[in-house]
């Protein structure tokens, strides 16, 4: 999206001592592609609702980080039941999701602004609840990258061969030129807020594209292959296997 002529806004490194961290845990979707009736982020993986795994990982990074669950209103009763059964979810705040993911992030930012007035040295991790394999090491890498650059987006190399449609013809593309993007995508609050204040465009598929359009360079950090998004029915089987293996380590 950037061209050579675009102006990139300068972002000085954060003052580490006073940084505050908010997490927008994105669970506002209906998750219909995954099947099963209940939104996928509420469904159990090895007996634990999917979204609880992300809460555990962010709590492990810092017990006092504010976690705001951006939730589809239809899931409130399910969430109350989860809170009774899983004490580690205590203190997680809830705000309503939007019609699409970008709308849900906007709602989350408004919630932070109205509840905490989000002053200067604040960082926001936007994380898909549909990525339950996120772990504390990955989150720490992201926070470190964001504190130096103002932005941080996890990526992994593409392992498949790729073909690209160029003027109506599919041709091979060099996969070394591509990276697969994951979450948590982490931004200084004011950068993310500025990005989301603009009109949303169809080509915005994630928070990075929104902030890039506002003139910010996106810093990348190493994601992990296991931090995949649970989308299709088969992903549930793979996620359960990965989570079990991680628990056994
Ligand atoms: O549908 P998809 O898997 O791309 O959604 C990615 C994440 O964004 C999921 O965790 C989903 O719950 C969340 N989402 C949201 N609000 C929406 C749609 C999706 O928070 N309206």
């Amino acid at each position: 999206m950037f061209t050579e002529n675009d102006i990139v806004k300068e972002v000085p490194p954060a003052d580490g001592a006073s940084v505050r961290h908010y997490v927008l845990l994105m669970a506002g979707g209906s998750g219909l592609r995954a099947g099963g009736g209940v939104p996928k982020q509420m469904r159990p993986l090895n007996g634990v609702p999917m979204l609880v795994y992300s809460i555990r990982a962010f709590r492990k990074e810092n017990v006092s980080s504010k976690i705001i669950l951006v939730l589809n209103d239809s899931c409130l009763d399910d969430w109350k039941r989860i809170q009774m059964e899983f004490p580690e979810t205590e203190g997680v705040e809830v705000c309503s999701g939007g019609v699409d993911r970008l709308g849900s992030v906007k709602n989350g930012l408004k919630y932070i602004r109205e509840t905490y007035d989000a002053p200067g040295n604040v960082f926001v991790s936007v994380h898909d609840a549909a990525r339950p394999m996120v772990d504390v090491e990955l989150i720490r890498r992201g926070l470190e990258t964001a504190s130096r650059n103002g932005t941080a987006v996890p990526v992994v190399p593409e392992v498949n061969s790729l073909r690209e449609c160029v003027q109506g013809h599919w041709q091979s593309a060099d996969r070394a030129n591509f990276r697969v993007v994951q979450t948590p995508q982490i931004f200084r609050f004011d950068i993310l807020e500025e990005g989301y204040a603009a009109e949303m465009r169809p080509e915005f598929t994630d928070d990075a594209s929104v902030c890039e359009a506002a003139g910010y360079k996106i810093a990348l950090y190493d994601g992990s292959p296991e931090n995949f998004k649970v989308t299709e029915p088969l992903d549930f089987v793979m996620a359960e296997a990965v989570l079990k293996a991680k628990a056994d380590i």
Side-chain angles (χ1 to χ4, degrees), residues 10 45 51 55 84 97 100 116 157:
E10 286 297 321
L45 292 169
L51 52 77
I55 292 169
M84 282 195 284
D100 53 20
Y116 297 104

Side-chain angles (χ1 to χ4, degrees), residues 155-168:
V155 292
V156 288
E158 176 55 68
V159 292
N160 295 293
S161 293
L162 297 177
R163 298 191 77 80
E164 183 183 18
C165 188
V166 180
Q167 293 169 347

Side-chain angles (χ1 to χ4, degrees), residues 25-31 33 40-41 70-72 97-105 127-131 229-231:
L25 185 56
M26 305 310 300
S30 57
R33 271 177 297 174
K40 64 181 174 184
Q41 59 275 11
V70 185
L71 196 64
N72 192 310
V99 287
D100 53 20
R101 190 182 181 281
L102 297 177
S104 289
V105 175
H127 181 64
D128 292 335
R131 293 184 190 271
K229 186 166 69 173
V230 177
T231 305

Side-chain angles (χ1 to χ4, degrees), residues 88-136:
E88 63 268 52
T89 61
E90 202 189 321
V92 172
E93 297 167 34
V94 177
C95 100
S96 292
V99 287
D100 53 20
R101 190 182 181 281
L102 297 177
S104 289
V105 175
K106 246 185 190 182
N107 286 3
L109 290 172
K110 189 160 171 271
Y111 178 92
I112 295 175
R113 166 64 70 189
E114 288 173 355
T115 314
Y116 297 104
D117 196 29
N121 222 3
V122 168
F123 283 80
V124 181
S125 289
V126 188
H127 181 64
D128 292 335
R131 293 184 190 271
M133 274 76 71
V134 66
D135 60 31
V136 65

